[in-house]
Amino acid sequence: AAGVLLCLYGTLLGPRVLQRRSGERGLARRLRPARLDGWARVGLRGTPYPTLVPRPGAWTPGAVLRAGPEARRRLAAYEGAQY
């Protein structure tokens, strides 16, 4: 499958959010369960959003999916420079 493999662990795991932010209908059907070892999900200070911090022994549940260039561009704009 074409596209870059993305790892999602926060708000984009919600199918409606993913569709709205990516502009790609049905993208959530491509989500595959995954976990990111060595990283912990924590609240991003001053926001309602999560971020990841390195933490030995920790792991963060999430999902991976392949997205095309337009969906990646839109998702990058949604996430912002800090991600």
Side-chain angles (χ1 to χ4, degrees), residues 2-4 22 24 30 66-76:
V4 171
S22 71
E24 191 171 325
R30 291 191 225 152
R66 292 204 182 271
E70 180 59 18
R72 285 195 327 268
R73 183 191 67 74
R74 290 177 57 118
L75 293 172

Side-chain angles (χ1 to χ4, degrees), residues 1-78:
V4 171
L5 190 63
L6 302 177
C7 178
L8 308 178
Y9 61 88
T11 58
L12 290 172
L13 290 172
R16 295 176 88 183
V17 175
L18 182 58
Q19 180 177 316
R20 185 171 60 249
R21 296 303 181 182
S22 71
E24 191 171 325
R25 194 176 180 105
L27 189 59
R29 288 193 296 266
R30 291 191 225 152
L31 288 171
R32 298 295 175 255
R35 69 184 252 172
L36 190 58
D37 292 324
W39 293 85
R41 179 180 154 159
V42 299
L44 182 61
R45 185 176 297 162
T47 78
Y49 303 109
T51 192
L52 297 175
V53 295
R55 186 169 297 155
W59 60 275
T60 296
V64 293
L65 70 93
R66 292 204 182 271
E70 180 59 18
R72 285 195 327 268
R73 183 191 67 74
R74 290 177 57 118
L75 293 172
Y78 168 67

